[in-house]
């Protein structure tokens, strides 16, 4: 059967012929008018004047003396009045949300012709409702009574008191607001509707055709009644008798009344039974994720040629971008007609990042500084990459590599060439011009179809910015800096991008509300989920449910019936219906099959073919990896022996003992983890900072004997301690970058911790005085022969000191340390129980012994775990089987033997690099993704 709108068009043409132009055709929205003109062109055989087509909003504007005002004007005007009446210092941006709620309430009040003075009466103290609302039904009065009775308790909560405070001024605000708008000749939609409906003068003689309406507000009902009474109205209701005759279907709730009050014109031969008399294939597909629904489109559209007979209907419009990217290239013509919220577009996130940058930019004597996260967000944004594809990457790498927390403007100078972006505004009033210049730079770089969406986004953003600029310039509100930023983002958030294409061609991508009065042979409905279809969230309102119900304002039930109608009407003309819903829980999404799908499932008139999509998720099977040695691996290993320029450290040996494959990745393949800016200091970096700070302190002493007096003086010199720590930060944490970086945030606390650590170490050292520092941070390298190779072993030793003839190898540790071992052999056993620190300390002893061939002088490896140093009895010596190691030479033989065995295995070319069996090793490994562990 032909689409209903085509039936209406044909009927009007046959009935009115050349007189058609005397009619005004009114639709609920704009889209049907385009199809109406198309259908009419198919009927006409001789030239006729096109009838005027209007949306209901346009008709109301025609009949009213008021001009629709934009939302920002409406909210700011309301704010001024509210602020005065409420005597509040609330800022505009704080009010904005509540202003929208209030405006929506006023809109409803007017569209439903409610007496606002009655509605906003404070009836909490009223005993009797007798004779107050004679114009309401007893049920409505009861609803109002119930509400206020509940309110009339002796102990009102703070919440109730606050409500009453606002409620008491609502009537005055409403009246003053309307009066002020009227004086300016502007209004919000409800105000315009009310004025039009109550306008005593109706256009003479003209006939109006109303088609495709469903839930009528009181203004529409009143206007329709007056026009009908004058013989000036013709009605067409798009319905199916299934849900009109059977009151169990909520989809027919409003149309039953409409058909009764405004009987439609009969279209000869047209039967309102397409739901049950058109052969339909309805399939219902469950998809395990919300965004996964769009991923089904290539399959569903595989056999569909470009056709305006097919529509992808979005119950949740935020899926638009996912849908657009999923539409296959075989679909050459596409028409999107829906409003898309600007805040879901990349331009919004770009502006958001720019305002964040400005909010947090700091000016100091050393220049302008930006926080690295805000800089990285911008330089990784698609729009800045569009302007500076290479520079952004270089700066990104430099910030990460040098661990720059605060980025100086000088580093970003190259990114200010197209527009001054990394600057600090002197005044927030400069914000619109600042953003406009940047947007203009982007506009210069986007050309051609590929960027048509961006051009659309830019156009609407610039409009929003100009609007914001206007408000700020004319502002009487004295907005704080923060309020100005927030207001801008709020204004941008209200913008919807009206995508519009050639609606008569190609695959249609359409919002559910836009489908009214249109029929498609095939529909693919996405997000057929409860919570979305219907929306179960209640529109925010100051007016409580009972009062809404009592005064005939729309409630949640109203909303449910409207959605039910959209849904069933959409199915009426379709032969192939694919209804898709998500099943998995995803943030902000309410999921589960829509109640309307359940209704179809259990309805005798329909057969629902249910399917379940199971995505093949690549579950990354664990796999075994083993790298055989070959000439390449052997060549790489050769750098650690003979004339090679690397050495094996204690850490390398421990890695090999932990996992041979990890050793391969790190020391043979030299696969390092990518750099990342770390604001929080990890234990290894904290240890490094401590070593460097101690190095800075003892460097001052040179070769002098360290006395108790010297240590006391040093520990009491706070400036010196801070300098030692700050320099360590500069060298270690800020990687010696030329940029002057400041210690900020949590690092200030870390600095204090380090000062405390220094004092603890110095106190311990004072007990050991007098002694001499032989070296600090000294690199020791020695060789050990293995199969004709000289393997190089090395390490950097925090400190070597000497007291009398005793040499101590000292290593500072920030964490808890176990200094006891059972046997030397246990240090070379695989597994997590091995004492890696003692292995390292003994290796340092071995290195010292090898390098200096000490003739009988005892060499004692000593650990300085800062937290344990507080115990007076703790001397840091290693304990082997309950005995202190007072000279490395005592265990040198067995240690060297174990080390030789380990290195023999490490250099054995027949042994592959295999994975550890101990999964606890993998927990902190950088290569888990490769190993899939
Ligand atoms: S993930 Fe486990 S097996 Fe793989 S390299 Fe790391 S420690 Fe070895």
């Amino acid at each position: 059967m032909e689409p209903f709108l085509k039936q209406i068009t044909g009927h009007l043409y046959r009935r009115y012929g050349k007189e058609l132009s005397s009619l005004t055709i009114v639709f609920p929205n704009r889209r049907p008018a385009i199809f109406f003109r198309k259908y009419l062109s198919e009927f006409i055989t001789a030239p006729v004047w096109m009838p005027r087509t209007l949306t209901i909003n346009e008709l109301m504007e025609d009949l009213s003396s008021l001009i629709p005002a934009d939302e920002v004007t409406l909210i700011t005007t309301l704010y001024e009045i509210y602020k005065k009446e409420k005597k509040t210092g609330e800022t505009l941006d704080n009010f904005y949300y509540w202003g929208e709620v209030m405006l929506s309430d006023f809109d409803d009040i007017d569209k439903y012709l409610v007496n606002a003075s009655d509605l906003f009466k404070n009836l909490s103290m009223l005993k009797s409702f007798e004779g107050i609302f004679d114009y309401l039904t007893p049920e409505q009065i009861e609803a109002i009574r119930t509400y206020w009775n509940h309110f009339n308790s002796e102990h009102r909560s703070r919440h109730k008191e606050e409500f009453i405070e606002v409620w008491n001024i609502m009537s005055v605000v409403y009246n003053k607001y309307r009066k002020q708008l009227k004086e300016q000749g502007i209004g919000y939609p409800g105000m315009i509707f009310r004025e039009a409906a109550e306008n005593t003068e109706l256009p003479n003689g003209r006939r109006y055709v109303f088609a495709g309406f469903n839930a009528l507000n009181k203004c529409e009902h009143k206007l329709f009644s007056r026009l009908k009474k004058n013989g000036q109205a013709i009605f067409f209701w798009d319905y199916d008798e299934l849900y009109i005759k059977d009151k169990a279907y909520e989809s027919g709730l409003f149309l039953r009344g409409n058909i009764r009050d405004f009987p439609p014109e009969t279209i000869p031969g047209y039967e309102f039974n397409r739901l049950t008399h058109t052969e339909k294939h309805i399939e219902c597909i469950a998809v395990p994720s919300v965004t996964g629904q769009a991923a089904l489109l290539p399959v569903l559209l595989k056999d569909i040629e470009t056709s305006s007979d097919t529509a992808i209907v979005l119950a949740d419009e935020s899926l638009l971008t996912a849908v657009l990217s999923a539409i296959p290239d075989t679909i050459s013509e596409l028409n999107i007609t829906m409003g898309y919220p600007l805040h879901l577009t990349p331009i919004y996130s770009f502006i958001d990042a720019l305002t964040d940058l400005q909010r947090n930019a700091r000016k100091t004597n050393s220049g302008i500084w930006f926080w690295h996260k805000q800089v990285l967000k911008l330089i990784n944004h698609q729009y800045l990459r569009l302007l500076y594809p290479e520079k952004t990457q270089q700066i990104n790498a430099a910030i990460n590599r040098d661990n720059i927390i605060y980025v100086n403007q000088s580093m970003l100078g190259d990114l200010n060439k197209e527009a001054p972006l990394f600057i600090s505004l002197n005044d927030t009033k400069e914000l619109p011009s600042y953003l406009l210049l940047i947007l203009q730079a982007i506009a210069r770089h986007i050309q051609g179809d590929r960027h048509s969406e961006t051009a659309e986004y830019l156009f609407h953003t610039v409009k929003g910015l100009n609007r914001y600029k206007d408000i700020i310039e004319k502002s009487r509100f004295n907005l704080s800096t923060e309020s100005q930023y927030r207001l801008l983002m709020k204004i941008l958030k209200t913008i919807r991008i009206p995508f519009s294409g050639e609606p008569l061609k190609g695959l249609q991508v359409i919002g559910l509300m836009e489908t009214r009065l249109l029929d498609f042979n095939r529909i693919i409905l996405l997000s057929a989920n409860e919570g979305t279809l219907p929306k179960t969230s209640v529109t925010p309102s100051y007016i409580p449910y009972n009062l809404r119900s009592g005064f005939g304002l729309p409630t949640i039930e109203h909303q449910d019936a409207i959605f039910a109608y959209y849904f069933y009407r959409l199915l009426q003309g379709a032969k192939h219906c694919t209804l898709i819903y998500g099943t998995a829980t995803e943030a902000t999404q309410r999921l589960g099959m829509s109640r309307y799908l359940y209704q179809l499932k259990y309805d005798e008139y329909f057969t629902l073919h249910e399917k379940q999509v199971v995505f093949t998720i690549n579950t990354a099977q664990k796999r075994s990896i083993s790298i055989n040695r070959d000439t390449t691996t052997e060549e790489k290993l050769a750098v650690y022996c003979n004339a090679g320029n690397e050495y094996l450290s204690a850490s390398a040996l421990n890695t090999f003992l932990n996992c041979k494959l990890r050793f391969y990745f790190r020391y043979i393949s030299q696969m390092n983890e990518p750099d990342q800016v770390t604001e929080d200091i990890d234990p290894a970096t904290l240890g490094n900072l401590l070593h460097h700070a101690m190095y800075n302190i003892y460097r001052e002493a040179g070769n002098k004997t360290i006395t108790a007096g010297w240590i006391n003086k040093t520990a009491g010199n706070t400036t010196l301690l801070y300098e030692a720590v700050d320099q360590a930060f500069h060298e270690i944490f800020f990687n010696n970058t030329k940029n002057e970086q400041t210690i900020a945030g949590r690092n200030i606390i870390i600095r204090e911790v380090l000062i405390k650590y220094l004092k603890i170490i110095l106190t311990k050292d004072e007990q050991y005085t007098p002694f001499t520092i032989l070296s600090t941070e000294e690199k020791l390298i020695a060789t050990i022969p293995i199969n004709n190779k000289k393997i190089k072993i090395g390490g950097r030793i925090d400190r070597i000191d000497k007291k009398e003839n005793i040499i101590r190898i000292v290593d500072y540790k920030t964490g808890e340390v176990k200094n006891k071992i059972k046997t030397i052999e246990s240090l070379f056993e695989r597994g997590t129980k091995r004492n890696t620190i003692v292995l390292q300390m003994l290796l340092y002893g071995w290195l010292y012994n090898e390098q200096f061939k000490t003739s009988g002088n005892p060499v004692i490896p000593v650990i300085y775990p800062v937290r344990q140093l507080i115990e007076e009895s703790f001397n840091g010596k290693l304990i082997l089987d309950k005995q202190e190691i007072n000279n490395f030479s005592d265990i040198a033989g067995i240690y060297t033997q174990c080390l030789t065995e380990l290195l023999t295995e490490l250099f054995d070319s027949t042994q592959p690099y295999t994975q550890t069996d101990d999964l606890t090793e993998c927990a902190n490994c950088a290569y888990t993704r490769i190993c899939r562990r």
Side-chain angles (χ1 to χ4, degrees):
M1 196 178 281
E2 286 185 328
F4 181 57
L5 182 55
K6 191 169 184 178
Q7 300 270 355
I8 296 174
T9 315
H11 171 75
L12 289 174
Y13 179 69
R14 284 188 293 277
R15 180 158 170 204
Y16 294 95
K18 286 189 175 171
E19 300 302 312
L20 205 57
S21 60
S22 65
L23 302 176
T24 297
I25 322 285
V26 186
F27 297 113
N29 55 334
R30 191 156 294 167
R31 201 172 169 93
I34 301 162
F35 281 83
F36 171 79
R37 287 195 284 273
K38 173 192 176 235
Y39 294 141
L40 189 58
S41 68
E42 291 172 16
F43 286 113
I44 53 178
T45 48
V48 287
W49 288 106
M50 270 286 169
R52 194 173 178 220
T53 55
L54 292 175
T55 64
I56 186 68
N57 282 25
E58 288 165 343
L59 174 65
M60 293 298 193
E61 284 161 27
D62 254 16
L63 300 177
S64 158
S65 62
L66 302 171
I67 296 167
D70 68 90
E71 187 182 303
V72 180
T73 306
L74 290 170
I75 299 284
T76 47
T77 310
L78 182 56
Y79 170 66
E80 284 184 287
I81 293 167
Y82 172 82
K83 200 176 158 197
K84 210 165 158 194
E85 292 305 319
K86 181 92 192 308
K87 299 180 181 61
T88 169
E90 198 171 337
T91 58
L92 174 59
D93 61 297
N94 272 341
F95 172 79
Y96 210 96
Y97 171 77
W98 293 110
E100 285 174 321
V101 174
M102 209 178 275
L103 185 56
S104 159
D105 282 342
F106 291 173
D107 197 61
D108 279 348
I109 288 169
D110 284 343
K111 280 183 177 161
Y112 287 83
L113 299 173
V114 171
N115 182 330
S117 307
D118 281 354
L119 169 68
F120 290 129
K121 270 192 178 112
N122 176 356
L123 304 177
S124 59
M125 305 308 282
L126 199 72
K127 294 273 184 286
S128 163
F129 281 67
E130 213 58 29
I132 303 181
F133 302 119
D134 288 344
Y135 58 95
L136 298 178
T137 65
E139 291 78 23
Q140 286 176 309
I141 295 170
E142 189 49 36
I144 299 166
R145 185 204 310 276
T146 309
Y147 178 75
W148 286 113
N149 280 349
H150 144 79
F151 225 90
N152 187 15
S153 68
E154 294 214 335
H155 303 290
R156 275 189 192 158
S157 64
R158 168 139 184 73
H159 175 74
K160 282 183 180 174
E161 291 294 349
E162 280 171 4
F163 170 79
I164 285 290
E165 255 180 53
V166 176
W167 194 253
N168 285 342
I169 61 161
M170 285 291 260
S171 181
V172 180
V173 171
Y174 169 83
N175 287 318
K176 286 194 173 174
Y177 182 49
R178 283 174 49 90
K179 186 168 175 272
Q180 186 161 327
L181 292 180
K182 199 162 183 176
E183 280 166 7
Q184 293 172 42
I186 55 176
Y188 50 88
M191 199 173 153
I192 294 170
F193 269 52
R194 192 168 201 157
E195 213 209 27
E198 291 173 344
N199 187 352
T200 45
E201 282 181 34
L202 283 178
N204 249 341
R206 194 152 191 94
R207 303 191 83 183
Y208 291 88
V209 177
F210 296 97
F213 289 81
N214 175 38
L216 301 179
N217 58 49
K218 289 262 175 71
C219 288
E220 288 164 340
H221 198 278
K222 186 167 184 171
L223 180 70
F224 288 8
S225 302
R226 293 174 64 201
L227 288 169
K228 180 188 152 210
K229 200 172 160 196
N230 284 357
Q232 287 180 265
I234 298 165
F235 301 96
F236 293 102
W237 307 108
D238 189 1
Y239 63 91
D240 195 279
E241 57 190 23
L242 174 72
Y243 55 79
I244 294 297
K245 286 182 180 163
D246 186 345
K247 289 190 177 169
Y249 289 95
E250 59 189 334
S251 37
L253 181 72
F254 300 109
L255 280 165
R256 284 177 216 120
N258 293 347
I259 293 166
R260 179 196 62 224
D261 295 344
F262 310 107
E265 190 152 301
T266 307
I267 302 174
Y270 185 79
E271 304 281 341
F272 289 86
N273 57 11
R274 291 186 300 164
L275 256 181
T276 48
H277 287 69
T278 309
E279 200 181 320
K280 292 186 193 310
H281 178 81
I282 306 176
E283 62 179 351
C284 170
I285 306 179
V287 179
S289 81
V290 173
T291 43
Q293 298 177 68
L296 267 185
L297 290 174
V299 181
L300 297 172
L301 297 171
K302 195 162 49 97
D303 304 322
I304 296 178
E305 289 173 15
T306 302
S307 161
S308 54
D309 246 6
T310 300
I312 297 172
V313 181
L314 306 186
D316 172 5
E317 296 180 0
S318 69
L319 274 187
L320 180 64
T321 42
V323 165
L324 294 184
S325 40
I327 289 175
D329 293 343
T330 47
I331 305 286
S332 56
E333 285 176 324
L334 185 69
N335 174 49
I336 315 156
T337 305
M338 57 194 290
Y340 190 63
L342 185 77
H343 72 90
L344 296 178
T345 67
I347 198 83
Y348 183 86
S349 64
F350 187 59
I351 302 269
D352 196 32
L354 286 167
T355 54
D356 257 3
L357 182 90
Q358 287 303 329
R359 278 161 133 145
N360 296 293
R362 304 254 159 83
K363 278 184 185 166
T364 69
N365 291 340
S366 52
I368 296 171
W369 298 88
F370 304 100
W371 193 40
H372 71 280
K373 283 205 174 150
Q374 282 144 3
V375 175
L376 290 175
K377 197 169 169 190
L378 273 167
I379 62 180
N380 287 309
H381 196 285
Q382 65 189 80
Y383 291 142
L384 207 57
R385 292 223 155 176
L386 180 78
L387 298 186
Y388 309 102
E390 280 160 23
K391 269 285 157 206
T392 46
Q393 286 187 41
Q394 287 164 8
I395 294 173
N396 182 45
I399 291 174
N400 284 314
R401 186 192 58 231
D402 298 335
N403 208 51
I404 300 175
I405 311 288
Y406 284 94
V407 187
N408 191 274
Q409 187 190 37
S410 58
M411 189 178 178
L412 304 162
D414 284 341
L415 306 183
N416 282 341
K417 286 186 177 152
E418 293 276 352
L421 193 152
F422 288 102
I423 58 167
S424 173
L425 301 178
N426 295 316
D427 189 324
T428 330
K429 288 200 169 66
E430 295 167 13
L431 185 65
S433 325
Y434 165 75
L435 295 172
L436 284 168
L437 278 177
I438 297 166
L439 296 187
Q440 277 166 15
I442 296 170
R444 286 196 296 273
H445 281 258
I446 54 160
Q447 271 159 13
D449 288 351
R450 205 160 58 84
H451 291 299
S452 58
E453 278 171 24
T454 306
E456 198 72 20
Y457 300 157
L458 283 175
F459 172 72
H460 290 279
T461 309
V462 169
K463 263 175 73 178
L465 275 175
N466 282 329
R467 194 71 200 90
Y468 165 79
K469 195 173 163 207
D470 217 34
I471 293 171
I472 295 297
E473 280 172 5
K474 294 179 192 155
S475 177
R476 301 168 295 272
F477 311 129
N478 225 357
L479 290 172
S480 70
T481 303
E482 194 52 31
S483 288
Q484 290 182 46
Y485 283 120
R486 291 212 300 252
L487 181 65
L488 169 66
M489 297 321 287
K490 283 202 165 119
I491 289 173
L492 294 182
K493 230 176 188 169
T494 61
I495 296 174
R496 288 179 79 82
I497 316 274
F499 280 107
S500 53
E502 169 50 74
L504 304 174
K505 280 166 117 185
L507 176 72
Q508 307 285 305
V509 178
I510 188 167
L512 185 62
M513 273 178 64
E514 301 292 318
T515 59
R516 281 174 288 181
L517 210 54
L518 303 181
D519 290 319
F520 300 98
N521 186 33
R522 173 164 191 149
I523 53 162
I524 299 169
L525 172 66
L526 301 185
S527 303
N529 281 94
E530 189 65 12
T532 304
L533 188 70
K535 273 199 180 71
T536 45
S537 58
V538 184
T539 312
S541 172
Y542 273 106
I543 308 167
Y545 175 87
N546 267 27
L547 295 188
R548 283 196 151 265
S549 180
F551 283 92
L553 290 168
T555 57
I556 185 84
E557 292 82 12
H558 193 102
Q559 189 170 287
D560 290 353
I562 290 175
F563 272 92
Y565 172 72
Y566 290 157
F567 178 74
Y568 279 94
R569 202 220 61 80
L570 184 64
L571 301 188
Q572 275 167 208
K575 285 190 182 145
H576 304 275
C577 310
T578 305
L579 314 172
I580 305 173
Y581 69 98
T583 55
T585 303
E586 284 180 27
T588 73
Q589 299 290 337
R590 297 170 183 217
L591 295 174
M593 191 197 259
S594 160
R595 67 185 75 170
Y596 306 134
L597 268 57
Y598 276 114
Q599 282 171 16
L600 290 184
K601 187 172 170 176
Y602 298 113
D603 195 320
E604 58 180 306
Y605 295 108
F606 304 100
T607 308
L608 203 61
H609 302 275
E610 291 188 71
K611 288 181 184 169
Q612 176 97 33
V613 171
V614 180
F615 287 128
T616 316
I617 296 164
N618 189 354
T619 48
Q621 298 290 326
K622 283 180 189 168
R623 58 181 181 183
S624 161
I625 304 176
S626 171
I627 311 274
N628 286 326
R629 304 207 193 193
D630 55 18
T631 46
T632 316
T633 57
E634 293 309 286
E635 272 170 25
K636 294 257 174 85
L637 201 55
V639 298
Y640 300 106
C641 36
N642 301 332
N645 47 15
E646 301 282 343
Y647 61 81
L648 289 169
S649 62
S651 169
L653 299 180
N654 270 318
T655 304
F656 185 76
L657 283 165
N658 290 344
C659 175
K660 291 177 187 171
L661 186 66
R662 189 170 178 176
F663 176 86
Y664 167 81
F665 286 144
R666 183 146 174 215
Y667 296 96
I668 306 296
S669 291
Q670 303 196 325
M671 269 197 286
N672 291 327
E673 279 184 85
D675 288 326
Q676 254 187 357
V677 177
T678 50
E679 268 195 282
D680 292 336
I681 293 176
D682 58 79
T685 313
L686 184 67
N688 270 341
L689 285 169
L690 180 65
H691 303 163
H692 268 67
M694 282 307 300
Y695 166 79
N696 292 335
I697 283 175
Y698 278 124
R699 196 176 44 185
E700 299 288 314
N703 297 328
K704 282 189 299 193
T705 302
I706 307 292
T707 62
W710 185 89
I711 289 188
N712 267 327
K713 201 170 147 208
T714 305
N717 186 344
T718 317
T719 314
L720 188 140
L721 297 184
Y722 275 101
E723 275 172 10
V725 171
D726 289 358
Q727 196 175 335
F729 260 100
H730 185 64
E731 290 159 351
I732 300 295
F733 196 57
F734 300 136
N735 292 345
N736 266 328
T737 45
K738 290 196 186 78
N739 279 299
E740 185 195 312
Q741 298 211 50
T742 47
I743 298 169
R746 287 192 197 184
N747 290 344
I748 293 173
I749 299 169
I750 303 277
R751 177 163 62 171
E752 294 306 317
V753 169
L754 285 167
I755 297 284
K756 198 172 150 200
Y757 283 0
L758 294 187
K759 286 182 177 171
I760 292 171
I761 293 173
L762 288 170
T763 306
K764 196 72 188 175
D765 280 348
E766 190 195 347
Q767 293 164 12
Y768 193 65
T769 53
F771 63 90
T772 315
I773 299 282
L774 297 182
S775 68
T776 49
E777 298 277 323
E778 187 175 358
K779 194 193 280 182
L780 298 184
I781 298 175
T783 60
I784 185 165
I786 306 283
N787 300 334
N788 304 325
K789 287 182 190 134
K790 282 185 175 173
I791 313 301
K792 290 169 79 178
I793 309 290
R796 191 178 290 276
I797 297 172
D798 288 351
R799 164 175 141 193
I800 302 172
D801 61 33
K802 188 175 179 189
K803 182 181 170 113
E804 295 156 2
N805 66 335
I806 298 170
I807 310 290
R808 290 197 317 173
I809 311 287
V810 181
D811 200 69
Y812 310 115
K813 298 283 181 204
T814 50
E816 191 85 7
V817 165
K818 287 196 176 86
N819 60 339
K820 297 176 185 156
I821 52 166
K822 273 254 185 271
T823 61
I824 297 295
E825 290 87 340
S826 69
L827 296 175
F828 294 86
E829 285 167 6
R830 295 189 188 281
T832 43
K833 289 189 181 144
R834 206 177 61 256
N835 192 324
T836 55
I837 288 173
V838 174
L839 183 140
Q840 176 203 5
M841 292 308 299
L842 292 179
L843 188 77
Y844 290 170
W846 180 86
L847 283 170
Y848 189 88
N849 252 14
E850 289 298 306
Q851 187 147 357
F852 298 103
K853 304 287 178 202
T854 54
S855 50
N857 278 351
V859 175
I860 311 177
V862 174
I863 317 174
Y864 261 29
V866 191
R867 289 182 227 167
Q868 287 153 272
L869 289 185
I870 302 167
E871 298 163 30
E872 211 160 307
S873 58
F874 187 85
N875 61 15
K877 288 182 186 171
L878 307 181
I879 314 277
L880 170 63
D881 195 21
K882 298 182 185 161
Q883 298 290 315
E884 283 183 353
I885 299 178
N886 281 312
N887 189 350
F888 177 79
S889 297
D890 298 344
I891 49 107
I894 180 74
Y895 188 85
T896 311
Q897 188 191 326
C898 290
L899 183 62
T900 308
E901 283 169 17
L902 174 65
L903 292 171
T904 307
E905 188 187 347
L906 201 152
F907 280 85
D908 182 348
S909 59
T910 63
Q911 295 227 18
Y913 296 105
T914 51
Q915 290 169 299
T916 178
D917 295 328
D918 183 356
L919 291 182
T920 53
E921 280 300 328
C922 308
N924 295 316
C925 177
Y927 310 108
T928 43
R929 285 204 178 166
I930 302 173
C931 290
R932 297 180 180 173
R933 285 189 164 191

